[in-house]
Amino acid sequence: MKFLTAFLILMSPIFGAWSQTDFPNKPITLVVATPAGGATDKTVRLLAKQLQLKWKNGVVVENRVGASGNIASAYVAKANPDGYTLLVSAGPFGINPSLFKTLPFDTKKDFVPVAQISSFASVLLVHESFPARSLNDFIAVAKNPKDPLAYASAGSGTAQHLGVELLKSKLKLNLNHIPYKGGAPAMNDLLAGHVKVMLAGMGDASPHLNSGRVFPLVTTGKTRSALLPNIPTLQELGILDFDASGWCGLHAPAGTPAELINKINQDVMAALADPAVRQGMAAMDVEPRPTTVPEFRQFMDSQFVKWKEAVEFSGAKAD
């Protein structure tokens, strides 16, 4: 009996290695914190379809919406660290540790980065009645010390809110934040002219760009948007160190074996190179972002630092 026990202990690394080369042998669940049909959800489903061809055993996209993404994060934090339950992380994942006083998990300790999937620009929109058609004109209006310029966002502490606050700090603007309960009601009031300014993700803005009711002033990406080729980026206009682009990626529960993390990362990078995936993302003005695990970890570290500063400057509180 002692001999058998010793043999099993000695052989366990071999058995473990064999089981990991067999990964995955059942469906993998990708937990999304945003509603079905949004830009992040559509991007993940494109990726999942391609990963299905590689993994064979099925990929389930599960939407767990609420609490600024914390419901989905809490669910994955408690999942078995076996590679079969992954969080589709996005902007709020990097913001929430600074925005919420307490969370039911430790963002930095309870998760490990796996791979970045995508990034997408935001666009600064103004209502058609707003007296500016360039960033310089907008700045002139927004610096009026006697009349704060109101802007809408999807809610306090969202990336759109904090992105404008970063711009406000950098350019010394006089702005007044009007938070809404989500991007849709904020966009509706912008279209109706009840509020004149909003920073919106390209996916949310794209259905309205040809409506004539809003005008895009500038985008936040490193290159011009394919949907708005005539609209400059902030970097083109000399605002070089500003980045409020959206993103999504994959995180796994802490304790997931490094071998599995690396395998999933490599499979995601291969899927992002597929022409059908890239074409589908391009149609939404979403850019594939294949990264190594260390690169994604470095990106996340920069997100935590940037949004901590923005939360402190703005005084943002969780809704």
Side-chain angles (χ1 to χ4, degrees):
M1 186 67 180
K2 290 182 179 179
F3 173 79
L4 177 60
T5 302
F7 174 78
L8 291 173
I9 292 173
L10 287 172
M11 294 300 290
S12 61
I14 297 175
F15 294 146
W18 179 86
S19 65
Q20 288 175 11
T21 58
D22 194 41
F23 176 90
N25 54 31
K26 62 180 182 179
I28 291 178
T29 299
L30 306 181
V31 181
V32 185
T34 56
T40 297
D41 177 78
K42 289 180 179 179
T43 298
V44 171
R45 291 180 189 276
L46 271 174
L47 179 69
K49 185 176 180 180
Q50 187 63 29
L51 289 173
Q52 168 78 43
L53 300 177
K54 173 73 174 179
W55 290 341
K56 308 297 184 185
N57 289 291
V59 181
V60 178
V61 178
E62 182 176 325
N63 301 85
R64 289 182 173 262
V65 181
S68 298
N70 292 329
I71 289 176
S73 296
Y75 176 79
V76 174
K78 296 177 181 178
N80 289 331
D82 56 6
Y84 287 98
T85 304
L86 303 173
L87 175 69
V88 178
S89 48
F93 190 78
I95 296 171
N96 289 349
S98 300
L99 185 65
F100 288 83
K101 290 183 178 180
T102 59
L103 290 170
F105 51 83
D106 188 317
T107 305
K108 297 180 182 179
K109 293 182 179 179
D110 292 342
F111 299 91
V112 289
V114 178
Q116 189 172 354
I117 296 171
S118 66
S119 68
F120 54 90
S122 296
V123 56
L124 185 63
L125 298 172
V126 295
H127 186 257
E128 60 178 328
S129 65
F130 189 75
R133 289 296 180 268
S134 71
L135 182 64
N136 284 337
D137 291 342
F138 171 81
I139 292 172
V141 175
K143 282 195 170 186
N144 185 342
K146 297 180 180 180
D147 188 14
L149 176 61
Y151 72 92
S153 84
S156 181
T158 59
Q160 292 79 16
H161 167 213
L162 297 177
V164 175
E165 290 296 318
L166 286 174
L167 199 62
K168 173 182 175 180
S169 173
K170 186 171 185 61
L171 300 178
K172 311 301 181 186
L173 306 178
N174 187 18
L175 302 176
N176 181 38
H177 178 222
I178 308 296
Y180 285 77
K181 295 292 185 180
M187 181 63 72
N188 288 339
D189 266 14
L190 177 68
L191 293 169
H194 300 313
V195 66
K196 305 297 185 183
V197 180
M198 179 179 176
L199 182 68
M202 197 62 71
D204 294 327
S206 58
H208 311 290
L209 294 176
N210 296 319
S211 69
R213 291 187 287 172
V214 294
F215 186 86
L217 294 180
V218 68
T219 62
T220 64
K222 293 182 179 180
T223 59
R224 291 197 178 196
S225 165
L227 298 180
L228 295 169
N230 297 321
I231 302 301
T233 68
L234 285 168
Q235 291 196 10
E236 283 182 65
L237 300 177
I239 305 174
L240 302 179
D241 56 350
F242 178 88
D243 184 8
S245 298
W247 61 274
C248 74
L250 293 177
H251 277 77
T256 303
E259 293 85 354
L260 294 185
I261 297 293
N262 289 329
K263 173 175 172 48
I264 296 169
N265 175 276
Q266 291 166 8
D267 290 346
V268 168
M269 286 202 290
L272 290 175
D274 181 79
V277 173
R278 299 182 76 88
Q279 184 177 1
M281 288 187 177
M284 298 184 289
D285 208 30
V286 173
E287 185 175 353
R289 285 290 183 192
T291 62
T292 64
V293 174
E295 287 171 342
F296 188 38
R297 182 180 295 110
Q298 185 177 18
F299 170 81
M300 287 307 309
D301 289 342
S302 71
Q303 290 289 297
F304 293 135
V305 171
K306 175 175 69 176
W307 295 121
K308 183 175 186 293
E309 293 175 353
V311 168
E312 290 175 350
F313 167 78
S314 67
K317 305 292 183 183
D319 287 336

